[in-house]
Amino acid sequence: MNLILNLICRCSGFVLLVCLFSNTSVLSAEEYQLDDPATWADSLFWESLKPSGKITGWEFHDGEVSLVRPGGESILSKPVASDFELSFDWKIATKVNSGVKYRVRKHGAPYWNKAYQGAGYWGIEYQIYDEKPNTDALHATGAIYDLATAAPDKKVLPPGTWNTAKIVADGSTVKHFLNDSLVASITTEGPEWERTIALSKFAGFRNFGQSSTKSRIMLTDHGGKVSYRNFRFVTLPQKNQSSVQRAGPFLADGMRNSWADQNSIGIWTRTTRFPEMNSGGKKFQSISNKQVKVLEEAADPVQFLTAQLPVGASLDDMIGACPGAPGEVRLTYFPEKRLKSKKQTTQWRKTSAAEDFTAQWHLSDLAPGTRYVTVLEVRSPGGQETTAVLRGGFETAPAKKLRKSLSFCMTTCHDFIRTDNGLQGHKMYPSLEKINPSFLVHAGDIEYYDKPEPWALTVELMRFKWGRIFALPDNRAFYKGHTTYFLKDDHDTLKNDCWPGQKYGSVTFEEGVRLFNEEQFPSRTPRYQTVQWGKDLQVWFLEGRDFRSPNTMADGPEKTILGVEQKAWLFKTLDASTATFKLVFSPTPIVGPDRSGKKDNHANTIFAHEGEQLRQKFSSVDGVIVLCGDRHWQYASVDEETGLWEFGCGPGSEKHQLGWKKGDERPSHRFLRVAGGFLSGHLESKGQSSELTMHHRTVNGDVVSTFRFPVEKSP
């Protein structure tokens, strides 16, 4: 056993430390007398944040701690309690930016510095600053830095003079005193705190500023000489910061966006009664396809619901239920690195049952190639206090003439009853987060009205399904922070292989279209779009339901999926494009091959005339590749007649692969995998050239295929 003898003699601020032992040791935090100023003036109580840990810019003498050689060297104390009163004196030279940070802990990279390596120490800060006349009150002396302003009438003695300060951190109550006067305070819990953090540089830090068993004190070096003395630390009884019960409304369905280009985007949200979906709810009654047909013939909306609910249960009692609630919402948005100069906040907007408590904003005049932050707030109708806050973001497309490397992903076909990660959501979403694509395309069949638990034979049940699937935690977490394009297909319009004029239960095709196009997703007219993501990549998003002819119509020049206007727009914009790669995102296959029994896409004989027209046109334009959803298997194929490439992204769930026999490879196939996953594309610009790499991936993100374009031709 090591023999350790620590003898500390302190006289007039002089510290003598004698250590007799076999291995070097210093005092633990518990052995220091934190209420003794001499402890804080002991160099062994501190360590440098530089990699070596050795302090070079600070000096410790005569009871003072002084930064004498500024150079970005902040110092960190031994661990101390997070609930305390700390008083001290401070003196600065001119042009100094310094401060005392507390409740300091390790956090990951801040949102505004993605290049930051590893974890760093961050905490609440008592700002000390040689102020200029126009200094922001959030950054003035005595302020709770970036979180709470300092009192404008505070009394600050000039540089070269000692000031006194006190910090009180008592559970969720934080106060700053300057020369015996309270100058700033804040409560570190509740919606207002969440809003404050969301609009600060500390956004994304888990439990930032919260009370815990241990944390540290930091003296910062942000430029200029500063001295401290007379530190006195009094530990306060620790208080548990338990979550306060809130009345709502909430934002359990998060936010999502669509239709992004260089300068605009649509943002969507929904106000909810509870902060999370009903994960412990009851199961729906099982009814057969035959019983569904009988209910449809009865055409009684009440029967559609009661036949599927347990006796005595309401829809809100069911598993996944995420009922809406009236509220008021507003949106704040700004470029990620320009919060102070470019922040914009909308007016409060009311939500109502008529629109399923949803709200939308169309943002314009945005900057191209820019990462934006979005912060949503919600409050009760007519209320004054925010009840919930959600922070997210999106990326605008880069300037059309800019050559830029980027990644994108594509998925299709997933629903609530076939999630592959239980009530957490779909496994692919954490995998997508790791890739961090510039945009994601969801190519339709996002949810299935015509599948059980429940069969959505009414608008009420359709809305129930939308509220449920986007309240899954992983799904919600991804969509709030990424640029997305949502296409619509048959199952999330009305029913399998549907077309205008049909009904499903009590819902008409036109009602199903309105629900998707105008209520449950960001709206846009028309429902098709092309966006150039820089000089080398242009993308097209097709609307495959609203304009189509009935499947039963005889094939020929008049039979269409895209409609006359959309097809004319598509051909015209393709001809005008100068992008190297032209990607056409389609809800349904255009090349295939597809099953012979299917009757609603261009890879089938039932739409053969328009399918041939599209394949001929696409193959005549350099750089066109088709990427499609709808199919429950992954594939890459080349049309034997035209040489047109098509990629099927496959279903977004491990529980949703079906419809094609494993190993049944046709001559057009270049890749076939009957399993869940998604598609990713990676554009790399090199000087005056660019390369596009396509990967099929598993739901866990593992690469299972690789294709590079331009395709290398055989000698």
Side-chain angles (χ1 to χ4, degrees):
M1 175 182 290
N2 294 333
L3 175 62
I4 303 176
L5 174 60
N6 293 293
L7 175 61
I8 302 178
C9 299
R10 294 184 174 94
C11 180
S12 300
F14 177 74
V15 180
L16 172 64
L17 174 62
V18 180
C19 300
L20 302 176
F21 41 68
S22 57
N23 292 317
T24 303
S25 178
V26 295
L27 292 176
S28 67
E30 289 74 12
E31 293 175 284
Y32 278 100
Q33 295 180 4
L34 297 177
D35 61 346
D36 184 351
T39 293
W40 297 79
D42 181 350
S43 63
L44 295 177
F45 185 69
W46 302 91
E47 63 180 278
S48 173
L49 284 181
K50 290 186 174 181
S52 68
K54 184 179 179 180
I55 298 173
T56 59
W58 297 75
E59 292 185 357
F60 304 81
H61 57 80
D62 297 331
E64 296 181 16
V65 181
S66 300
L67 177 60
V68 295
R69 289 174 291 278
E73 181 190 12
S74 298
I75 57 175
L76 200 65
S77 77
K78 297 290 187 183
V80 297
S82 294
D83 292 282
F84 60 85
E85 289 187 8
L86 174 64
S87 60
F88 55 93
D89 300 335
W90 58 270
K91 179 176 64 175
I92 59 174
T94 57
K95 299 181 180 180
V96 163
N97 181 0
S98 187
V100 176
K101 293 187 179 182
Y102 52 97
R103 291 185 174 174
V104 173
R105 302 184 193 93
K106 279 190 174 182
H107 293 280
Y111 77 87
W112 40 268
N113 188 0
K114 299 302 182 187
Y116 191 88
Q117 297 296 314
Y121 284 98
W122 305 86
I124 307 175
E125 182 174 4
Y126 187 114
Q127 175 74 74
I128 297 172
Y129 188 49
D130 181 19
E131 298 173 27
K132 302 174 181 63
N134 61 347
T135 297
D136 185 336
L138 280 173
H139 305 141
T141 295
I144 303 174
Y145 175 82
D146 214 42
L147 302 175
T149 61
D153 59 349
K154 65 184 185 298
K155 295 179 175 60
V156 187
L157 301 178
T161 309
W162 287 102
N163 289 264
T164 64
K166 183 170 71 171
I167 300 167
V168 177
D170 188 10
S172 61
T173 300
V174 170
K175 296 179 180 180
H176 286 184
F177 293 83
L178 176 62
N179 294 322
D180 299 322
S181 295
L182 177 66
V183 294
S185 63
I186 200 167
T187 300
T188 63
E189 64 180 355
E192 188 57 36
W193 168 255
E194 292 165 9
R195 178 183 184 274
T196 299
I197 292 295
L199 293 172
S200 78
K201 67 189 301 180
F202 309 113
F205 288 168
R206 183 177 176 84
N207 296 324
F208 177 82
Q210 302 297 297
S211 175
S212 68
T213 304
K214 290 291 181 183
S215 59
R216 295 174 186 260
I217 305 294
M218 182 193 295
L219 305 183
T220 67
D221 174 5
H222 295 151
K225 296 180 179 181
V226 59
S227 295
Y228 298 95
R229 71 182 185 186
N230 291 334
F231 284 99
R232 292 189 183 275
F233 187 96
V234 178
T235 301
L236 300 177
Q238 186 176 1
K239 295 181 179 178
N240 293 324
Q241 289 186 246
S242 57
S243 298
V244 178
Q245 196 69 28
R246 304 182 192 178
F250 302 97
L251 299 166
D253 277 320
M255 73 175 98
R256 46 190 181 267
N257 61 66
S258 199
W259 308 114
D261 57 22
Q262 280 76 17
N263 308 115
S264 65
I265 198 170
I267 306 290
W268 178 100
T269 194
R270 177 173 180 260
T271 56
T272 59
R273 194 184 310 165
F274 306 111
E276 300 288 342
M277 68 179 183
N278 185 357
S279 58
K282 300 179 180 180
K283 292 184 178 181
F284 284 90
Q285 295 278 72
S286 178
I287 60 175
S288 65
N289 289 348
K290 183 177 180 180
Q291 288 173 296
V292 173
K293 294 292 185 184
V294 172
L295 287 172
E296 282 198 84
E297 291 175 5
D300 183 353
V302 175
Q303 288 188 38
F304 296 155
L305 181 60
T306 57
Q308 300 183 77
L309 293 179
V311 176
S314 71
L315 198 55
D316 294 349
D317 297 324
M318 307 310 292
I319 189 165
C322 189
E328 296 179 3
V329 285
R330 71 176 177 184
L331 177 69
T332 297
Y333 60 99
F334 53 90
E336 190 172 60
K337 297 180 180 180
R338 302 185 69 183
L339 165 61
K340 305 304 177 186
S341 62
K342 293 291 186 178
K343 181 178 71 174
Q344 296 191 58
T345 301
T346 68
Q347 297 294 314
W348 289 97
R349 179 172 297 180
K350 291 184 178 179
T351 66
S352 67
E355 295 297 322
D356 195 28
F357 309 103
T358 64
Q360 299 189 31
W361 297 267
H362 180 76
L363 308 185
S364 56
D365 298 323
L366 303 176
T370 302
R371 174 72 185 173
Y372 278 82
V373 171
T374 50
V375 177
L376 273 174
E377 299 171 73
V378 60
R379 68 185 185 188
S380 59
Q384 297 299 313
E385 295 185 359
T386 297
T387 57
V389 178
L390 183 66
R391 178 179 167 119
F394 61 86
E395 180 179 341
T396 54
K400 296 178 182 179
K401 293 183 179 181
L402 179 67
R403 180 163 271 130
K404 182 181 179 181
S405 298
L406 58 86
S407 296
F408 62 88
C409 294
M410 182 183 185
T411 185
T412 190
C413 300
H414 69 20
D415 59 4
F416 185 87
I417 63 172
R418 285 170 284 199
T419 59
D420 48 12
N421 198 20
L423 293 180
Q424 190 64 28
H426 293 85
K427 289 181 180 179
M428 72 170 178
Y429 286 112
S431 303
L432 289 167
E433 287 282 7
K434 293 177 182 178
I435 295 173
N436 191 27
S438 293
F439 62 89
L440 169 78
V441 180
H442 201 308
D445 291 344
I446 305 162
E447 181 54 277
Y448 286 64
Y449 293 150
D450 54 344
K451 292 297 177 183
E453 301 178 35
W455 302 88
L457 297 152
T458 67
V459 168
E460 179 185 26
L461 289 169
M462 289 177 173
R463 286 170 166 170
F464 173 89
K465 284 196 163 186
W466 286 127
R468 182 175 67 173
I469 196 166
F470 283 105
L472 289 164
D474 283 348
N475 301 23
R476 178 181 62 202
F478 179 84
Y479 285 114
K480 74 181 177 69
H482 294 274
T483 299
T484 313
Y485 299 95
F486 290 101
L487 310 186
K488 179 173 83 273
D489 203 11
D490 49 353
H491 296 285
D492 38 26
T493 301
L494 194 70
K495 61 180 179 178
N496 188 47
D497 293 356
C498 60
W499 63 81
Q502 292 188 311
K503 286 189 70 174
Y504 182 58
S506 64
V507 186
T508 65
F509 183 93
E510 291 68 28
E511 287 175 310
V513 165
R514 190 202 70 81
L515 209 65
F516 192 106
N517 288 5
E518 300 176 24
E519 180 181 284
Q520 295 296 325
F521 294 89
S523 60
R524 185 182 190 274
T525 301
R527 293 289 301 187
Y528 45 83
Q529 183 186 29
T530 182
V531 182
Q532 195 159 340
W533 276 79
K535 183 178 179 64
D536 295 316
L537 179 67
Q538 188 166 349
V539 293
W540 282 258
F541 305 109
L542 304 185
E543 169 53 59
R545 286 290 146 189
D546 296 358
F547 313 118
R548 67 169 52 218
S549 306
N551 292 352
T552 52
M553 179 179 174
D555 191 37
E558 303 302 318
K559 190 173 184 180
T560 182
I561 290 178
L562 301 183
V564 174
E565 290 185 8
Q566 180 178 200
K567 191 159 54 177
W569 159 84
L570 174 62
F571 290 1
K572 180 180 179 180
T573 52
L574 280 171
D575 286 339
S577 176
T578 58
T580 305
F581 301 108
K582 305 170 182 68
L583 306 185
V584 178
F585 289 89
S586 171
T588 53
I590 293 174
V591 172
D594 196 23
R595 292 173 292 174
S596 59
K598 286 296 290 182
K599 299 179 180 179
D600 79 331
N601 65 67
H602 291 113
N604 303 134
T605 56
I606 200 165
F607 283 98
H609 186 278
E610 188 173 67
E612 179 64 19
Q613 184 185 23
L614 291 176
R615 291 187 290 272
Q616 290 291 341
K617 178 62 181 180
F618 291 163
S619 63
S620 71
V621 179
D622 289 342
V624 172
I625 303 171
V626 178
L627 298 91
C628 76
D630 192 39
R631 303 297 77 199
H632 295 255
W633 58 92
Q634 295 180 316
Y635 69 87
S637 63
V638 178
D639 181 55
E640 294 179 272
E641 181 179 342
T642 65
L644 177 65
W645 279 82
E646 179 172 87
F647 289 84
C649 60
S653 169
E654 284 184 330
K655 295 184 177 182
H656 218 155
Q657 57 259 32
L658 52 89
W660 196 270
K661 187 177 180 181
K662 292 182 179 181
D664 183 11
E665 294 190 18
R666 307 294 173 85
S668 58
H669 278 135
R670 299 297 181 269
F671 174 79
L672 175 66
R673 177 175 177 265
V674 185
F678 60 93
L679 189 69
S680 69
H682 308 272
L683 177 70
E684 186 174 357
S685 294
K686 304 175 181 178
Q688 297 303 310
S689 64
S690 58
E691 181 179 81
L692 177 66
T693 303
M694 301 298 301
H695 294 305
H696 288 96
R697 296 176 182 264
T698 69
V699 294
N700 294 319
D702 299 327
V703 173
V704 291
S705 81
T706 300
F707 295 89
R708 291 186 175 87
F709 297 90
V711 177
E712 293 184 4
K713 296 182 179 180
S714 302

